[in-house]
Amino acid sequence: MVLKLTNYFSNDPDFMSLLTILEFPDPRLRKRASPVSVVDDTLRNTINDMFETMYNAPGIGLAATQVDIHKRLLVLDVSENKDAPMVFINPEIEVLDSEPMGYEEGCLSVPGYFDMVNRPRKILVQALDKNGTEFELEAEGLLAVCIQHEVDHLDGKLFVDYLSILKRQRIKNKLLKDQKQRVNV
Ligand code: NI
């Protein structure tokens, strides 16, 4: 997920292993991710690369699906100073308060677009951390929005799926045009 108005710092890309972020309507974004079976150093390397990619983009959340890794894994940092990284492995969401909360969402896989999406305002998340230890977390506000947005990615779903068909089609056509132009340059 990406915020519309935030002050970000950007790291020097030369020293980082940045992953390529898939963009809508890439069909790989529609794959359903499989549960992670082993939390090991290989996975932790992937997690580090995902954080670097997310901070560099810049974004506040990134699901493995978006970097063409189809495992149930996501990273996020909704803090003002970008100093509160969070990892969720095999996340499961339970809705604690289904009262809808509207938030203007954006996504690194749908660059340049923001629109209002309604989601349950309070959730409970169960997941594994980067050491493979189970944890539980109650979330509301931006954190709840971001977790739900990223878990959607693991199920092959994008925030544009909540918009009208007409809007989604317009975004798709515009992004396809941008992608084509980039290839031709
Ligand atoms: Ni996203």
Side-chain angles (χ1 to χ4, degrees):
M1 191 173 152
V2 56
L3 284 183
K4 196 172 186 179
L5 295 169
T6 311
N7 291 322
Y8 282 109
F9 63 87
S10 197
N11 293 312
D12 186 342
D14 290 348
F15 296 97
M16 303 198 293
S17 359
L18 297 180
L19 305 166
T20 303
I21 299 173
L22 302 177
E23 287 182 14
F24 177 67
D26 193 309
R28 290 171 289 181
L29 287 168
R30 296 306 187 180
K31 283 192 195 173
R32 199 183 147 79
S34 312
V36 170
S37 47
V38 191
V39 180
D40 56 8
D41 285 344
T42 309
L43 192 80
R44 281 184 282 272
N45 284 336
T46 302
I47 289 168
N48 287 339
D49 291 347
M50 283 175 63
F51 271 119
E52 290 183 350
T53 305
M54 180 191 82
Y55 285 125
N56 182 259
I60 60 166
L62 185 70
T65 306
Q66 292 177 274
V67 289
D68 204 19
I69 297 170
H70 301 279
K71 290 181 182 169
R72 302 193 77 80
L73 161 67
L74 60 93
V75 299
L76 59 87
D77 187 341
V78 297
S79 71
E80 196 88 1
N81 300 321
K82 307 288 119 201
D83 56 1
M86 299 174 89
V87 178
F88 296 82
I89 299 166
N90 298 341
E92 296 286 346
I93 291 178
E94 187 190 320
V95 174
L96 295 182
D97 184 353
S98 57
E99 181 76 20
M101 186 180 91
Y103 202 93
E104 196 174 36
E105 297 187 19
C107 178
L108 294 174
S109 295
V110 190
Y113 287 90
F114 295 88
D115 217 317
M116 197 61 88
V117 176
N118 282 305
R119 299 184 189 270
R121 67 174 59 237
K122 195 171 179 188
I123 57 169
L124 176 73
V125 195
Q126 287 185 303
L128 303 177
D129 66 15
K130 65 179 176 7
N131 300 312
T133 309
E134 256 182 71
F135 70 97
E136 258 189 15
L137 176 77
E138 269 188 32
E140 48 194 331
L142 178 58
L143 181 60
V145 171
C146 191
I147 293 170
Q148 292 177 84
H149 175 117
E150 302 309 335
V151 170
D152 268 358
H153 276 301
L154 303 181
D155 293 326
K157 199 167 178 185
L158 297 164
F159 88 93
V160 294
D161 298 346
Y162 295 93
L163 310 180
S164 69
I165 296 171
L166 196 70
K167 266 190 185 171
R168 191 161 55 250
Q169 193 62 41
R170 213 166 52 212
I171 294 170
K172 180 177 162 179
N173 291 341
K174 178 70 170 63
L175 287 179
L176 280 173
K177 207 175 135 197
D178 291 350
Q179 288 158 22
K180 204 168 155 231
Q181 273 174 352
R182 230 177 296 156
V183 171
N184 290 338
V185 173

